[in-house]
Amino acid sequence: MPPKQQQTKGKSSAAPAKKKDTGGSSGGGKAKKKKWSKGKVRDKLNNLVLFDKATYDKLYKEVPSYKLITPAVVSERLKIRGSLARAALKELQTKGLIRLVEKHHAQMIYTRATKAGADE
């Protein structure tokens, strides 16, 4: 086997140039293919399915003071599920704490109830 090592010494002058071109890849003579990234991984949301006492109080205290109220905004700020946020906003509307601006099958937009809005 020693004669084979002598033959590779003659070819070794071209091999280091390839290694430098690949950015110092480890291992043998062939350049490795670029691997695709798996993409960014989002953290799993752990939102509440049912209200606890603290979150329910926060709903009645803070949400009616928001200028723009949507199920997405309430869900994100209170860390509750979207279905729970929709039900909560319907409840706040029936009690007159918020006012419906626009209703669509996919998105409901509410705003805080003002004295001018209560007269309408």
Side-chain angles (χ1 to χ4, degrees):
M1 297 309 242
K4 288 187 179 179
Q5 288 177 349
Q6 288 176 348
Q7 289 175 356
T8 55
K9 284 183 183 176
K11 294 179 182 177
S12 66
S13 61
K18 287 182 183 177
K19 285 184 182 177
K20 288 177 186 175
D21 290 342
T22 59
S25 65
S26 62
K30 284 190 178 179
K32 292 187 177 181
K33 287 186 179 179
K34 184 176 183 289
K35 293 187 177 180
W36 289 91
S37 66
K38 299 280 192 281
K40 292 184 181 177
V41 178
R42 270 186 64 192
D43 293 336
K44 178 126 175 61
L45 296 175
N46 194 11
N47 290 346
L48 297 174
V49 180
L50 295 172
F51 278 115
D52 55 0
K53 181 72 174 145
T55 310
Y56 194 72
D57 293 340
K58 195 174 179 183
L59 172 79
Y60 273 86
K61 184 181 172 190
E62 293 182 7
V63 172
S65 65
Y66 296 164
K67 194 165 189 177
L68 173 72
I69 306 168
T70 63
V73 169
V74 174
S75 173
E76 186 177 332
R77 291 189 188 173
L78 297 181
K79 300 287 186 252
I80 60 175
R81 291 269 174 106
S83 56
L84 190 61
R86 283 195 305 270
L89 292 179
K90 285 177 188 172
E91 182 181 324
L92 289 175
Q93 185 190 4
T94 56
K95 292 190 176 183
L97 296 172
I98 60 175
R99 182 171 57 92
L100 183 68
V101 176
E102 186 69 33
K103 182 170 177 163
H104 188 264
H105 73 90
Q107 183 76 27
M108 283 138 354
I109 301 172
Y110 299 89
T111 189
R112 54 186 170 211
T114 57
K115 291 177 182 175
D119 294 337
E120 290 177 2

